[in-house]
Amino acid sequence: MDHFLRKASFSSGSKSIVRIIAIGAASAGLLYLSNNPDSKATVKLSIPTILRKHLPFQGHPSFVSSDHWQFGKFPLFLSRVDPALAGDVAKGAPVAVGDGGKPSCGCLGRDFIANAAAKVAPAVVNLSVQQDLYGFTTVRSMCSGTIIDADGTILTCAHGVVDSQGRQLTTKGKIDVTLQDGRTFEGTVINSDLHSDIAIVKIKSKTPLPTAKLGSSSKLRPGDWVIAMGTPLSLQNTVTAGIVSCVDRKSSDLGLGGMRREYLQTDCAINAGNSGGPLVNIDGEIVGVNIMKVAAADGLSFSIPIDSVSKIIEHFKKSGRVIRPWLGLKMLDLNELIISQLKERDAKFPEVEKGILVPMVTPGSPADRAGFHPGDVVIEFDGKPVQSIKEIVEIMDDRIGKPLNVAVKRANNEVVKLTVIPEEANPDM
């Protein structure tokens, strides 16, 4: 603040701006100085309404983000909704705001994390798995979950509620479910999938249950605010916040074997017991399911994207389990830089702008029998142009035993048509 005041020069007639800045600082206001070389410098200040009566401005009683005043080269904008108008805003009355119904200055209110958490918190539950051993009741594991349907459907993590014995999944024990309001229920595992680490638990209640809304993880970008909720170390109703660090962290990046998976990486603080709890956006929607963290590092937490979870839930409803087609291909998404590098190494590399490179074909696999070769670039799958592995996975869905027509480009731009018949993946892979 001292630095700002030293840099700004004020005449006796502009002392009011010093007064404004002092009030803003004293009242936990937010000050923004923007000095964009392509536009005029601006000062943006968020001030509690109760103190606004002390400001030297007249005739600006309503939504303050539309108010602006000129102080030499510094236009001043205030960004706070008057409480008198809060009801009208909630009812959808027109207000002077920018895109998306947010203040035109693009500032977030100081309660944005608390408001988002409050929307989801009543539906966040603690799941305690108990086991009787020689007449003694012991807690085997504890995790979190979220009620996503008023019928008592709870979304949680598989590793918290089921054991794997070969290919058979068994419940770890009696599941006690505790809501934020203190109510307790006995839960039953309805579906689970260890590969994705997603499970569905059901409770029965004669009274209404709170629910949380599923959002969309595809809209997330690195840097977006997110909130992790759950019961770490048995501490119920815990909320932590952070940002999205990566929207498509691959399982191979984490040294995890098996089939390809993608995670949301955040710097939210999560610990044992957070698993299965919701990752929430600032709109109060679930965008992920918290699963794990890197124990030897800070700020490296991972969640399953809710778009992937929604597909798993659809598989549960349709088949009672997740059906995954298997081709036997190792694949790599291509971009301009990778293509340029490959061309430098081999002048015969096919002329493509995008596509999916096949570095390896598993011997004896459906892809091997169909005639795929290492070095092929997939350009069409099931008759549709493709540019990413994700598109291929979406096209295959759960199509087992059904022929798929594929077009690949090889050295010297040779285009080859192939027909591959996916098999169901071995769950132990």
Side-chain angles (χ1 to χ4, degrees), residues 35 188 259-260 277 279 286 300 313 315 363 429:
N35 191 16
T188 303
M259 287 178 283
R260 181 180 183 270
L279 185 72
I286 301 175
L300 291 176
I313 294 174
H315 277 277
M429 291 177 62

Side-chain angles (χ1 to χ4, degrees), residues 400-423:
I400 305 296
K402 298 178 180 179
L404 297 169
N405 296 320
V406 183
V408 301
K409 261 193 176 185
R410 291 178 175 165
N412 297 318
N413 295 318
E414 178 188 5
V415 177
V416 179
K417 302 285 186 179
L418 304 172
T419 301
V420 62
I421 303 176
E423 297 177 358

